Amino acid sequence: MSPFHIESTLRDLTLHEFQVEDSCLGQTIYEVFEGKPALPGVILLHEGSLVGMISRHRFWERLSRAYGRELFLRRPITVLGDFTPGTPLVLAETTLITEAARKAVERPTELLNDPVVVEVGPQDYRLLDVHELLITQSSIHQLTSQLLQQKTRTELMHTEKLASLGKLLAGLAHEIRNPVNFIGGNLDYLNKYRQDLTRLVEKYRAELPTPSPTLVALEEEVDLDFVVEDFANVLKSISMGTARLQSLVSSLQSFSRMSESEKVEIDIHQSIEGTLLILSSRLKLGIQVIKEYDDLPKMKCYPGQMGQVFMNILSNAIDALLEYEAQLSQATELETVARTEHTRVAVQSWEPQITIKTSISSTVSPESTAEEGLCDRYLSIRIQDNGPGIPPDLQKRIFDDFFTTKPIGKGTGLGLPITAQIVQEKHGGRLILKSPCFVSGDGRSYG
């Protein structure tokens, strides 16, 4: 595997240090080049400031000419510099390798083989062999092509998996809906029968004030009063369970529609609630969900894809909260005592929470002014957890393809990139990460 990637910079390459004052004799340069065959050139300074660069091949080419040795070796190197065309290409060490290679090949033909001058600090320069630069750029290009092919294959597999999952969920939801509807449809009749039987028993009791000992014994054995009272509670529980199953089936059917060809109007709150219902088994592990819903109009979208967006974001939030809770529970008593009193109390009272806020917001259109009152209205959905936050060095990478902090086999690194693609490309929205505070394992916060 190549150690380089698309974000590699010049500091990742071999940089040669050979810089002299322009008053240095050519003989000194000659001796250094003889002893260090890998040096691509020499940097010329005048009182510490860069004034030029002479490449190795140009130095030997000048010496090989008639009277070259007599002309250049016994004189200051600046004399040879005066015979060297063009100015060197100077780049900062933070320049991307791909960008540096592009600038290197854009130079005039006579300068294409000259090394690149890399500034590593104030008035501090190094030399980079242009051939190493181009070879590395080619390696990065090849690696990028392989990653692109891998991404394409993985996305195709992911899409096929989602399609298969959608078909499975749709079929399963259909199979569940039929018996659930059968139960729900018969509950009304069953409740009516209960009422009729209860009235009949009460009528028998009124007309038979002195039942036989056998009937009294049977009544006590079955605890008739309790059965009459609890019958209604049992039917109510069955009705609630049936309604929950029907909601779950509807959520599964909505989530399974991943390949809609047209947008439809939906209640976004129902989409969120459906996702929460599917994730209810994980939320029951102790995670409190706080809902702050605004009065929203229906919005046009692809329901299945929006369900996937909520599923990915909420699943990541649940994973983060459960992982953080596990870390806190595994902390030793010594570590707890070592924390400050304020932090220790905060850790002990911490409970995992997810807050979901929806609202309609407005922003002034770029083509108008606030006084004109022409504003764009957009739906704002904020999903926030009270976990430790995301470390700053990871925040800029969470939407990168294949990037994941989860163990092998538990994360593909495509959930959030696909989520961003659905929000931005499919619905013209924006997916924004805000993690203002990161709490480290020692209880310290980093903004």
Side-chain angles (χ1 to χ4, degrees):
M1 177 69 71
S2 172
F4 302 103
H5 51 82
I6 192 67
E7 296 181 357
S8 294
T9 62
L10 296 183
R11 64 161 61 101
D12 299 319
L13 299 175
T14 303
L15 302 179
H16 302 272
E17 183 178 6
F18 187 27
Q19 48 190 14
V20 299
E21 286 289 322
D22 56 359
S23 58
C24 178
L25 296 180
Q27 179 66 34
T28 303
I29 309 301
Y30 174 84
E31 292 173 356
V32 174
F33 277 161
E34 280 283 302
K36 297 181 178 180
L39 277 177
V42 57
I43 296 172
L44 306 184
L45 305 176
H46 180 72
E47 297 180 355
S49 298
L50 178 68
V51 293
M53 183 275 301
I54 300 176
S55 65
R56 182 187 189 90
H57 74 88
R58 201 176 301 281
F59 180 84
W60 292 120
E61 188 267 336
R62 290 294 179 183
L63 290 187
S64 65
R65 295 186 180 183
Y67 306 105
R69 291 176 177 269
E70 293 79 0
L71 182 62
F72 297 119
L73 292 184
R74 299 176 183 178
R75 297 184 180 185
I77 192 63
T78 185
V79 176
L80 179 57
D82 294 337
F83 287 88
T84 303
T87 56
L89 174 61
V90 183
L91 300 173
E93 66 170 347
T94 55
T95 305
L96 294 176
I97 291 176
T98 51
E99 177 68 11
R102 182 185 65 81
K103 292 183 177 181
V105 298
E106 288 178 349
R107 294 181 294 179
T109 304
E110 64 272 15
L111 301 178
L112 285 179
N113 291 321
D114 284 0
V116 176
V117 178
V118 180
E119 186 174 10
V120 297
Q123 303 298 317
D124 191 9
Y125 303 93
R126 301 288 186 272
L127 283 174
L128 170 62
D129 191 331
V130 70
H131 299 97
E132 180 182 356
L133 172 64
L134 296 178
I135 291 174
T136 305
Q137 193 273 343
S138 176
S139 175
I140 292 176
H141 176 74
Q142 183 178 6
L143 178 63
T144 304
S145 299
Q146 292 174 350
L147 288 176
L148 182 60
Q149 293 175 358
Q150 181 183 356
K151 174 189 175 184
T152 303
R153 288 195 299 269
T154 305
E155 285 187 343
L156 288 174
M157 292 173 60
H158 186 73
T159 302
E160 184 178 353
K161 182 178 179 180
L162 284 177
S164 300
L165 178 61
K167 292 179 181 178
L168 177 62
L169 287 178
L172 179 62
H174 179 72
E175 291 298 322
I176 296 176
R177 181 180 289 277
N178 287 336
V180 168
N181 288 342
F182 174 79
I183 296 173
N186 284 288
L187 279 175
D188 292 337
Y189 298 108
L190 192 58
N191 190 47
K192 185 177 182 303
Y193 298 157
R194 176 193 66 81
Q195 295 173 356
D196 292 342
L197 289 174
T198 301
R199 286 191 296 109
L200 180 61
V201 170
E202 291 174 350
K203 197 69 173 175
Y204 271 122
R205 280 182 168 180
E207 295 187 6
L208 294 174
T210 55
S212 66
T214 303
L215 192 58
V216 171
L218 180 60
E219 185 175 328
E220 291 178 354
E221 180 182 347
V222 299
D223 197 355
L224 183 60
D225 291 334
F226 173 78
V227 170
V228 171
E229 179 182 354
D230 196 49
F231 203 166
N233 295 330
V234 172
L235 290 179
K236 184 178 180 181
S237 298
I238 295 175
S239 179
M240 291 174 59
T242 302
R244 186 171 179 82
L245 275 174
Q246 289 173 333
S247 297
L248 180 59
V249 168
S250 297
S251 299
L252 288 175
Q253 287 182 323
S254 176
F255 186 75
S256 67
R257 295 197 297 266
M258 301 304 302
S259 58
E260 303 103 335
S261 58
E262 296 182 359
K263 293 182 179 180
V264 296
E265 286 191 345
I266 67 166
D267 182 346
I268 202 67
H269 292 152
Q270 289 185 358
S271 181
I272 296 174
E273 290 297 321
T275 304
L276 291 174
L277 185 59
I278 295 175
L279 294 171
S280 59
S281 61
R282 302 193 65 200
L283 293 171
K284 287 179 181 178
L285 298 176
I287 299 176
Q288 180 185 9
V289 179
I290 301 173
K291 305 170 189 175
E292 299 180 11
Y293 292 165
D294 201 353
D295 186 15
L296 303 180
K298 290 188 176 182
M299 66 168 289
K300 266 194 171 185
C301 68
Y302 299 104
Q305 295 182 15
M306 286 306 300
Q308 186 183 6
V309 168
F310 297 137
M311 179 68 70
N312 290 342
I313 295 177
L314 289 169
S315 294
N316 281 346
I318 293 172
D319 290 340
L321 291 175
L322 294 179
E323 181 180 350
Y324 185 54
E325 188 176 39
Q327 291 175 358
L328 293 180
S329 64
Q330 293 173 0
T332 64
E333 184 66 24
L334 180 62
E335 291 174 331
T336 303
V337 173
R339 294 189 177 99
T340 64
E341 184 65 22
H342 172 75
T343 304
R344 180 156 53 88
V345 172
V347 169
Q348 290 175 345
S349 61
W350 179 85
E351 293 183 358
Q353 291 181 348
I354 295 177
T355 302
I356 306 175
K357 299 180 181 179
T358 63
S359 62
I360 292 293
S361 302
S362 299
T363 180
V364 178
S365 173
E367 292 79 13
S368 63
T369 63
E371 289 76 11
E372 293 174 333
L374 300 178
C375 297
D376 294 326
R377 301 174 73 238
Y378 62 91
L379 172 62
S380 173
I381 305 172
R382 300 181 182 182
I383 301 176
Q384 178 182 359
D385 65 71
N386 66 338
I390 302 175
D393 58 324
L394 299 183
Q395 292 182 23
K396 60 183 180 181
R397 301 188 60 193
I398 65 169
F399 295 116
D400 292 350
D401 294 327
F402 307 110
F403 176 75
T404 179
T405 58
K406 297 178 181 178
I408 296 176
K410 292 190 176 181
T412 63
L414 286 174
L416 287 179
I418 290 176
T419 299
Q421 182 183 18
I422 292 174
V423 173
Q424 296 170 2
E425 297 182 14
K426 299 292 187 179
H427 295 85
R430 296 174 61 194
L431 185 62
I432 302 173
L433 163 69
K434 288 186 178 181
S435 184
C437 182
F438 167 65
V439 182
S440 69
D442 57 8
R444 290 182 294 175
S445 299
Y446 299 87

